[in-house]
Amino acid sequence: MTTPELGLPMAVPAPGLPATVRIHEVGARDGLQNEKATVPTEVKAEFIRRLAEAGLSTVEATSFVHPKWVPQLADAEQLFPLVRDLSDLSGTALPVLVPNERGLDRALALGATRIAVFASATESFAKANLNRTVDEALAMFEPVVDRAKAQRAHVRGYLSMCFGDPWEGPVPVTQVVRVCRALVDMGCDELSLGDTIGVATPGHVQALLAALGEAGVPAAALGVHFHDTYGQALANTLAALQHGVTTVDASAGGLGGCPYAKSATGNLATEDLVWMLRGLGIDTGVDLDRLIATSVWMADRLGRPSPSRTVRALSHKE
Ligand code: HMG
Ligand code: MG
């Protein structure tokens, strides 16, 4: 048990949890893709730079998708070169989303070394998000993963709608396991289990992780990606950590949503995650004060306050 610093929780470890957690920061991509206002490219670059300076080792930068589908990220070609030096300066990993070979060409041409493909567990979302069936989308990713691996790029495979889908309702675990297995067999280095609309609860999370373990997909190869629509994201994260997961996706200030899923709201706020992990004595390498200052700065640029409870509590303490 460690004495608390002012404004920080007392560190009281709990049994069965990892010593460190890697946070995969998605605010600049998942967060900003859903903003109505277009954020200037220079502001995005400064946001990413500040996130890296706050100690986040993985900062998802942007998406090389069709600009008509996600106009908020249409400046990927301009943005990526503005932040690329961070991987040399601070070792920050800067993954980018690519849906197809055209996206991969664009990302590789700019020197991206970490890419993410993004599949769906449900047909409805595959159609809405990628204009493909689930299997057509997997077929679209195959050459992307092959070519990325041939270039020694790290490949993440996102899987959306792992728990529930706004068109189809609850999603059977077996359906999720099938697509996860396909992504692993394709060669993805890690998977991220997306609760796109925030309907997961802790028992469901553990049931899915157990089923994946039985199907030969260990927790070590998994990240969790919880949107916080119903306030369950932290509880779900704890359930995942208890099951051996050590990679957690979160978004600075709780920015986020998905333009192609009704009822998707922001991701788990990185600050709320860091607060809980500090309280559990789990190391993340993140400087919470710097991170909060970054989210307050970004909220000013967006013209609305951060929904993160921790940002609100600590930015009004004086
Ligand atoms: P499509 O309309 O079927 O595209 O869209 P297509 O393959 O028929 O190609 C049509 C035209 O688009 C062609 O141009 C292509 O070259 C061009 P034309 O020959 O007609 O002149 N094109 C591109 N241009 C630039 N970059 C590209 C690209 N691809 C094709 N990459 C497509 C299919 C996949 C392109 C489209 O559906 C798309 O871009 N979707 C992206 C949607 C998206 O980004 N959603 C948000 C990310 S997922 C998410 O947020 C969930 C997550 O957070 C996890 C969770 O919470 O669950 C990850
Ligand atoms: Mg998401």
Side-chain angles (χ1 to χ4, degrees):
M1 207 178 281
T2 324
T3 313
E5 294 167 50
L6 272 184
L8 289 176
M10 175 145 65
V12 186
L17 293 175
T20 59
V21 160
R22 182 175 67 84
I23 298 178
H24 183 109
E25 168 60 44
V26 297
R29 194 280 303 170
D30 208 343
L32 297 186
Q33 79 179 6
N34 209 39
E35 282 303 318
K36 288 199 176 62
T38 304
V39 177
T41 309
E42 297 69 30
V43 173
K44 291 177 181 173
E46 177 153 7
F47 185 41
I48 291 169
R49 210 163 272 287
R50 286 177 179 235
L51 292 168
E53 283 165 7
L56 287 153
S57 59
T58 306
V59 182
E60 203 164 270
T62 186
S63 298
F64 291 90
V65 296
H66 195 295
K68 278 200 203 124
W69 283 66
V70 185
Q72 295 87 339
L73 304 184
D75 61 351
E77 253 84 15
Q78 291 73 43
L79 174 65
F80 196 76
L82 296 179
V83 296
R84 195 170 39 197
D85 64 326
L86 286 170
S87 42
D88 290 331
L89 286 177
S90 52
T92 311
L94 297 167
V96 294
L97 265 57
V98 302
N100 52 17
E101 288 193 87
R102 173 95 173 83
L104 182 71
D105 290 339
R106 293 172 58 204
L108 292 179
L110 293 173
T113 57
R114 296 177 80 98
I115 62 134
V117 293
F118 44 104
S120 169
T122 65
E123 293 295 344
S124 304
F125 187 65
K127 199 77 193 159
N129 199 42
L130 293 162
N131 198 24
R132 300 285 185 279
T133 65
V134 169
D135 287 337
E136 284 167 355
L138 291 171
M140 177 167 75
F141 300 146
E142 241 171 73
V144 175
V145 177
D146 279 353
R147 285 181 50 206
K149 300 293 295 177
Q151 303 277 326
R152 297 177 188 279
H154 180 275
V155 181
R156 163 175 262 226
Y158 274 108
L159 186 62
S160 289
M161 304 298 173
C162 287
F163 300 92
D165 172 287
W167 299 277
E168 299 181 21
V171 178
V173 163
T174 47
Q175 197 170 314
V176 181
V177 171
R178 178 184 85 83
V179 188
C180 280
R181 226 9 295 168
L183 288 168
V184 171
D185 293 344
M186 206 182 281
C188 289
D189 297 296
E190 69 172 13
L191 301 189
S192 173
L193 304 174
D195 182 16
T196 321
I197 56 169
V199 292
T201 45
H204 195 166
V205 170
Q206 294 205 330
L208 176 57
L209 292 170
L212 283 168
E214 278 165 28
V217 184
L222 296 171
V224 285
H225 180 103
F226 296 120
H227 286 263
D228 204 21
T229 322
Y230 300 96
Q232 304 298 300
L234 263 186
N236 291 337
T237 301
L238 184 58
L241 298 180
Q242 285 165 337
H243 210 93
V245 168
T246 57
T247 299
V248 180
D249 298 4
S251 157
L255 291 170
C258 179
Y260 291 103
K262 359 171 220 188
S263 65
T265 61
N267 295 81
L268 168 62
T270 313
E271 291 84 354
D272 297 1
L273 173 63
V274 170
W275 177 274
M276 179 180 81
L277 295 177
R278 280 194 81 131
L280 287 164
I282 297 174
D283 187 30
T284 62
V286 173
D287 179 331
L288 188 56
D289 284 341
R290 286 183 93 155
L291 180 58
I292 288 172
T294 299
S295 290
V296 170
W297 171 86
M298 195 58 189
D300 285 347
R301 254 106 224 118
L302 295 171
R304 56 183 170 72
S306 159
S308 158
R309 305 289 286 264
T310 303
V311 171
R312 279 196 255 161
L314 292 185
S315 57
H316 295 114
K317 65 184 170 187
E318 54 292 323

